[in-house]
Amino acid sequence: MPAEQKFELLGLNLEELTAVAVEKGQPQYRGEQLAEAIYRQRVTSVDAISTLPFAFRTVLADAGFRIGRPVIHRSFASVDGTVRYLIRLSDSESVETVWMPEGDGGEAGDGTEAGDAESATRAPSWNRATICVSSQVGCAVNCQFCLTAKLGIRRNLSAGEIVGQVLDVLSDQKVAMEQQRINLVFMGMGEPFLNYENFMKAVRLLVQEVGFPESRMTVSTAGIVSRIIDFGKESIRPKLAISLNGSNDAGREDVMPINRKWSLDALLEAARTFPLRSREKLTFEYVLLRGVNDSINNAREVVHLLRGIRAKVNLIALNPGPDLPFGTPSEEIVAAFQQVLIRGGIPAFVRRPRGRDIYAACGQLKRTEELVAIGS
Ligand code: SF4
């Protein structure tokens, strides 16, 4: 094993960490010590794992092992407490991860770069929060209302890079896992089901090593039908959300070209047969685009499509962005759409946009460093 090569421990599960330790002549329980340090104590360098003998730390370092946590490069705080993190990966690519506190918190920032993370990126008071996690650098799916799509796909994230985003944010926000109610949503940059193996490994690490309950995680897919079927067979899995955004094939194809590969028929058949747990519902997300998919007739079509599926719908009025050829519907249009769904027997909720002023809202993640450059 050449010393100049780097081997990242973050992303390895307990069995793999134990194998590393045993291969270096250590007892099996060193694997558990490594997992405890990396995933629960959130240690960022091998040298700082004080539970390991100095000699073993030296052996690991000499062999090129490092923890490999991605680093927070910059952060931007919104007036609503949301913080958008730009996280740098080992090859200098970057992704965005978003922290959304809720509860009694007041204003956490002024919509500009956070600067001193100690004071500016932390809401003064909150009792629950959501972390929005990226799964790829860029995205290949090309949803027409999404800024991330403008990047194209650059590469998949490793399981360690997916988990690393969560650990970075928890550390920056000084969150003790046992004290706080944190939800994870895999709705950041990328389509998780086009990076399925790494995404699922990250999920298992977050559940088994970091300590997140599956019930507090949701993954959103644009509708990769073959993977929805695989996902239903997983023994450990988050809840499932499906990005709908169209009420018929022609309309959906216009905003989500992926509909040409997996039509609404195929998508809704996968949804209908998805093995839901007791009391679990599927979530359908519907981004409302002014004059495109927001009519009463569209709403009636959605009611028809979702009939017989245990589901709820989250309505999101488009988050505006530069170079997007769509407008945001009025509150009245959104409310009228919602009422049709509710009268049709479908629970429907209007999602409040978070962090719009710092480009942290749904579909706005584009690794933007300069707010002014995108019109804020
Ligand atoms: S909405 Fe999601 S799946 Fe669609 S292009 Fe954006 S990141 Fe990709």
Side-chain angles (χ1 to χ4, degrees):
M1 195 180 287
E4 63 272 16
Q5 256 186 290
K6 296 285 180 218
F7 301 96
E8 292 178 351
L9 296 169
L10 178 65
L12 302 186
N13 60 28
L14 177 59
E15 197 183 350
E16 291 163 332
L17 290 170
T18 302
V20 168
V22 169
E23 201 246 330
K24 299 291 172 209
Q26 295 291 316
Q28 294 230 346
Y29 66 81
R30 297 275 182 238
E32 179 55 49
Q33 288 176 319
L34 281 165
E36 172 72 23
I38 294 167
Y39 296 110
R40 294 184 282 282
Q41 295 173 3
R42 301 179 210 139
V43 173
T44 56
S45 82
V46 169
D47 197 39
I49 307 179
S50 55
T51 48
L52 300 180
F54 178 73
F56 180 38
R57 283 181 263 163
T58 307
V59 166
L60 285 175
D62 288 350
F65 284 99
R66 57 186 205 131
I67 292 185
R69 269 264 292 277
V71 293
I72 295 173
H73 174 53
R74 293 179 79 175
S75 56
F76 302 89
S78 165
V79 291
D80 66 13
T82 300
V83 181
R84 177 168 67 94
Y85 290 96
L86 195 60
I87 291 185
R88 181 154 290 171
L89 311 172
S90 58
D91 60 356
S92 295
E93 288 285 7
S94 56
V95 289
E96 300 202 336
T97 313
V98 183
W99 164 258
M100 294 170 279
E102 288 176 62
D104 304 328
E107 295 185 353
D110 60 1
T112 58
E113 187 175 2
D116 172 16
E118 277 298 319
S119 58
T121 67
R122 205 159 296 125
S125 166
W126 54 276
N127 51 31
R128 60 190 188 283
T130 299
I131 304 174
C132 181
V133 184
S134 292
S135 55
Q136 297 181 301
V137 183
C139 186
V141 175
N142 200 22
C143 301
Q144 298 296 294
F145 52 83
C146 173
L147 284 179
T148 304
K150 308 268 178 207
L151 294 170
I153 179 69
R154 297 178 64 88
R155 70 170 173 86
N156 283 335
L157 296 187
S158 66
E161 288 169 332
I162 296 171
V163 176
Q165 295 168 67
V166 177
L167 299 180
D168 277 355
V169 174
L170 293 175
S171 295
D172 190 60
Q173 295 292 336
K174 301 199 178 350
V175 176
M177 280 297 295
E178 58 285 357
Q179 288 167 1
Q180 310 288 358
R181 289 194 298 151
I182 309 288
N183 293 308
L184 298 182
V185 294
F186 299 95
M187 300 183 182
M189 297 170 72
E191 162 56 63
F193 283 3
L194 291 182
N195 183 18
Y196 188 81
E197 301 300 341
N198 291 348
F199 162 70
M200 283 308 304
K201 185 172 187 189
V203 165
R204 288 189 288 271
L205 288 169
L206 287 161
V207 171
Q208 294 171 334
E209 304 304 337
V210 183
F212 277 98
E214 306 161 75
S215 58
R216 291 203 164 274
M217 300 184 192
T218 303
V219 60
S220 175
T221 178
I224 314 295
V225 169
S226 56
R227 287 308 194 184
I228 292 175
I229 294 166
D230 293 340
F231 186 66
K233 296 174 188 156
E234 299 284 354
S235 55
I236 293 177
R237 67 160 176 82
K239 293 182 282 188
L240 179 63
I242 295 173
S243 224
L244 189 61
N245 311 323
S247 61
N248 53 62
D249 276 318
R252 191 166 187 264
E253 267 174 41
D254 283 346
V255 293
M256 298 183 75
I258 198 166
N259 196 78
R260 287 186 205 113
K261 180 159 185 185
W262 284 291
S263 68
L264 276 174
D265 261 0
L267 179 60
L268 293 168
E269 175 61 18
R272 212 161 267 120
T273 54
F274 189 78
L276 289 168
R277 298 175 178 138
S278 66
R279 301 174 61 197
E280 185 181 2
K281 281 191 171 84
L282 284 180
T283 299
F284 286 87
E285 292 152 332
Y286 196 100
V287 177
L288 289 156
L289 310 168
R290 188 174 65 221
V292 174
N293 64 0
D294 62 348
S295 71
I296 295 297
N297 196 42
N298 291 131
R300 288 188 186 123
E301 286 183 331
V302 170
V303 170
H304 182 71
L305 285 177
L306 301 190
R307 194 154 283 150
I309 301 178
R310 195 159 20 124
K312 64 173 181 168
V313 173
N314 285 340
L315 298 170
I316 305 145
L318 175 73
N319 290 307
D323 305 327
L324 293 181
F326 302 108
T328 305
S330 66
E331 280 182 25
E332 292 72 32
I333 295 278
V334 174
F337 198 102
Q338 180 189 23
Q339 282 311 310
V340 173
L341 298 192
I342 291 171
R343 282 200 298 273
I346 298 173
F349 305 89
V350 177
R351 305 305 295 189
R352 188 166 52 96
R354 298 293 310 261
R356 254 189 194 176
D357 55 335
I358 53 162
Y359 285 83
C362 290
Q364 287 190 309
L365 302 184
K366 202 190 168 192
R367 305 191 305 180
T368 314
E369 293 212 38
E370 298 302 327
L371 290 176
V372 67
I374 53 173
S376 173

